[in-house]
Amino acid sequence: MRGDYQQLVDEISAALGAPATLEDRDFGLIAFGAHEGEDDEVMDPVRTRSILQRRSSAAVRAWFEAFGIARATAPLRIPPDPAAGVFRGRICLPVRHGGVVHGYVWLLDDGHLTDLELGGAGTPPDPRMAQAMETAARIGALLADETRAGHELAEVLRELLTSPVSGRAAAAAALRDALRDTLRFTPGTPLTLVAVLPWDTAGTDTAPLPSLPGLLAACPLPTGPAGDRDRPGPGTAALAGLVRLRQTGSPAPAHAAAEHLLRSPRAGGGPAAAGARGPRSAAGIGLATREPAELPASWRQALAAARAARAEPPLGPVAEWDAIGAYRLLTGLPDAAPDPAVGPLLAPAHAELARTAEAFLDCAGQAGRTAQWLGIHRQTLYYRLGRVEKLTGLDLDEGADRLLLHMALKAARL
């Protein structure tokens, strides 16, 4: 289907003699027309960013939306705004179907398009523009079909990931059938799940499907602090993204989808959380499987990896489940109060001591390596570790005490 979009965008480019760019209604890139002229200015910063990063910036989006492009039924001219990074004007062709805008075709409003009659207010459009709008309507029909299929797949995916074990076989069969019917999906193709945590669900319980190869469906799911759907936290959710892989051991498409989703305005909990202090948003990737019935396990792994990436920044912002080490065990444990021995060390007043103890244990108890990592003198390290022992009553020369302290400190991050 992506090839269909490219062909239609090329038709618009040919009709108007200018390179066109197609974005979805969330300003995610779908297709763009090649520029074959000698005028390098056509690759202005906005178009370059859209092509290279597959998305326009928030400032660019706000500038364009201020002209009512989401409500427009005819082409619009939009002037430049250097403050928003828009250095050249645009012609926007709204891509609509069934009274709903599904995307936008963009053309740079350069010299030879300046006199192009867009139509409206009783004035007929230039025949070339009328042809371009007919093509835009065909794009709108394709996007509407894809959106409908995406929503249906998302609901089937949601059913599978939230079903009890007794209903999992039926839900897996339903997903397999839905993939085959809507995407001509080949059974046995490797799949995995991406989790983005947190995800803002304000005003909607669905998720727009970005225009990314391999991302088949996406749905937000409630999640508690330990990733337990039966104990949802207030207003918390994670996004589940179903990704098709080229082969089982190559998660590159999942990484691309996760990185793209993390750039969404909904990642991080939404506007209310934008100014709040706390863990950043992160994404996790579960193990690949060729069996839809195994996707719930992949989802738990993806969610665990996302939690680990939020707790341990060096692991993220995108972490694979098989690369999160001890967090594979810790994320599977129920939430519990800190161990009584370690509780005093977790008080805010002792944050530096806790950091020192964790660094010492991460370095396998090697004092020289720990002191170098923390940038302190070895004697300072010994002094802090002595205070840790007094606070906790643990003996850092004992393996069992070290294990308890290490796991308690990692669990506290979650």
Side-chain angles (χ1 to χ4, degrees):
M1 186 172 285
R2 294 295 156 179
D4 295 336
Y5 292 130
Q6 186 62 61
Q7 180 179 345
L8 293 171
V9 168
D10 289 342
E11 284 185 20
I12 294 176
S13 296
L16 298 177
T21 302
L22 172 63
E23 294 181 332
D24 61 28
R25 59 187 169 196
D26 288 321
F27 290 71
L29 179 68
I30 298 175
F32 62 93
H35 173 57
E36 300 177 353
E38 298 180 355
D39 182 11
D40 290 336
E41 290 184 359
V42 74
M43 291 301 294
D44 75 332
V46 172
R47 190 168 193 265
T48 300
R49 175 190 171 98
S50 177
I51 292 173
L52 295 181
Q53 300 188 16
R54 305 190 66 88
R55 181 167 296 277
S56 295
S57 70
V60 168
R61 175 174 179 163
W63 175 249
F64 289 154
E65 288 183 334
F67 289 87
I69 60 174
R71 302 181 300 277
T73 57
L76 294 173
R77 273 197 168 90
I78 299 178
D81 178 28
V86 183
F87 294 98
R88 302 186 66 181
R90 297 288 196 283
I91 293 178
C92 173
L93 280 61
V95 175
R96 304 180 68 88
H97 182 79
V100 176
V101 65
H102 290 277
Y104 310 100
V105 172
W106 300 98
L107 302 116
L108 289 173
D109 197 2
D110 57 11
H112 78 280
L113 293 180
T114 301
D115 298 328
L116 188 68
E117 180 56 59
L118 304 187
T123 304
D126 184 288
R128 295 172 296 166
M129 183 57 71
Q131 180 183 346
M133 285 300 293
E134 289 177 4
T135 304
R138 289 158 60 196
I139 294 174
L142 283 178
L143 285 173
D145 288 343
E146 188 170 326
T147 298
R148 183 165 51 253
H151 285 168
E152 292 172 357
L153 274 176
E155 287 307 310
V156 179
L157 176 63
R158 187 200 306 270
E159 180 66 23
L160 172 59
L161 299 184
T162 58
S163 289
V165 175
S166 59
R168 194 163 295 167
L175 178 63
R176 189 183 299 109
D177 293 343
L179 288 170
R180 183 195 60 221
D181 296 342
T182 60
L183 299 174
R184 302 185 184 94
F185 187 78
T186 303
T189 299
L191 299 167
T192 191
L193 280 159
V194 168
V196 179
L197 182 70
W199 187 264
D200 179 35
T201 59
T204 179
D205 61 354
T206 60
L209 192 63
S211 304
L212 287 175
L215 185 58
L216 306 178
C219 62
L221 297 174
T223 174
D228 187 342
R229 68 178 178 85
D230 296 320
R231 297 186 293 108
T236 60
L239 183 74
L242 180 63
V243 180
R244 174 177 51 206
L245 303 179
R246 299 182 185 92
Q247 51 188 345
T248 303
S250 299
H255 275 273
E259 290 164 2
H260 184 96
L261 291 167
L262 282 172
R263 292 195 292 269
S264 168
R266 295 191 188 183
R277 300 182 62 185
R280 58 192 170 77
S281 58
I285 300 172
L287 293 181
T289 178
R290 298 180 185 274
E291 295 295 333
E294 296 176 357
L295 287 174
S298 181
W299 168 241
R300 290 191 295 271
Q301 294 162 355
L303 195 58
R307 293 182 60 218
R310 295 182 76 205
E312 198 81 61
L315 293 175
V318 180
E320 296 178 40
W321 183 80
D322 57 0
I324 61 175
Y327 285 107
R328 288 160 62 170
L329 293 175
L330 290 173
T331 52
L333 299 175
D335 288 342
D339 184 89
V342 183
L345 183 62
L346 299 178
H350 300 307
E352 191 62 34
L353 290 180
R355 174 172 171 266
T356 300
E358 187 174 5
F360 176 70
L361 295 166
D362 285 345
C363 291
Q366 298 178 31
R369 182 179 163 200
T370 306
Q372 184 177 13
W373 185 6
L374 294 174
I376 60 177
H377 194 276
R378 189 177 296 201
Q379 291 302 319
T380 302
L381 172 64
Y382 291 144
Y383 169 74
R384 292 182 182 177
L385 294 177
R387 291 190 61 197
V388 168
E389 290 183 322
K390 288 182 179 179
L391 270 173
T392 62
L394 300 175
D395 184 352
L396 295 184
D397 288 332
E398 291 293 332
D401 284 1
R402 283 192 184 189
L403 179 61
L404 172 61
L405 178 58
H406 205 182
M407 293 299 95
L409 289 170
K410 294 299 184 186
R413 287 185 174 274
L414 293 171

